[in-house]
Amino acid sequence: MNESDVHPQLLADCHVIAAMPAGLLLLHRNAALPWFILVPDTTETELLFVATDQRNAIMADAERVARYLRAEFDSTKVNVAALGNQVPQLHLHVVGRRVGDACWPKPVWGNLTEAASWTDAQLAQIRSAFS
């Protein structure tokens, strides 16, 4: 999957991190929370309708990201969601959460009012972890 295959809204909201076995890994530009987005290499718009083998690969990628969130960001909870109300392309949010984070205990959608930016060094470290 290439960046040109990714919905423009996802590219506007995120940094491109790495190619994963099932698709492309993005990182939300707001560094107030570690918020990754997996964009599977498929034209299907619903996770539950993706072929079983591909869905298993997508979930394996999500698990890898979740383990990274626990290890590197001390996330005590990892939220996973496939919404697609505003961006029709299938994408999976994998968000590291913990008590006291920028919008705890509320959902990140519509409640993340704090803003922060990832440094170049942080992005390089994250990219290195997924290369």
Side-chain angles (χ1 to χ4, degrees):
M1 167 174 262
N2 298 312
E3 284 185 47
S4 62
D5 299 322
V6 177
H7 191 280
Q9 188 62 55
L10 293 175
L11 292 176
D13 292 345
C14 300
H15 298 282
V16 176
I17 297 300
M20 301 283 282
L24 202 59
L25 179 62
L26 310 177
L27 176 65
H28 199 284
R29 290 187 186 280
N30 190 343
L33 287 170
W35 183 343
F36 288 91
I37 298 175
L38 290 167
V39 184
D41 189 6
T42 182
T43 57
E44 178 56 66
T45 60
E46 300 297 332
L47 179 62
L48 297 177
F49 299 146
V50 172
T52 302
D53 288 346
Q54 186 175 21
R55 188 171 57 247
N56 289 343
I58 294 166
M59 296 312 293
D61 285 354
E63 179 184 356
R64 181 176 175 198
V65 173
R67 290 185 182 283
Y68 179 80
L69 286 167
R70 279 193 172 174
E72 298 299 323
F73 290 95
D74 197 29
S75 299
T76 54
K77 176 73 177 123
V78 177
N79 292 341
V80 178
L83 302 174
N85 296 344
Q86 294 183 7
V87 174
Q89 182 176 27
L90 178 60
H91 60 286
L92 199 67
H93 299 263
V94 185
V95 185
R97 302 296 309 272
R98 65 173 179 232
V99 173
D101 70 26
C103 52
W104 185 269
K106 297 176 183 175
V108 294
W109 294 275
N111 294 300
L112 187 56
T113 57
E114 182 180 323
S117 297
W118 297 102
T119 67
D120 290 341
Q122 288 172 313
L123 289 171
Q125 186 277 329
I126 293 168
R127 286 184 176 115
S128 175
F130 289 98
S131 62

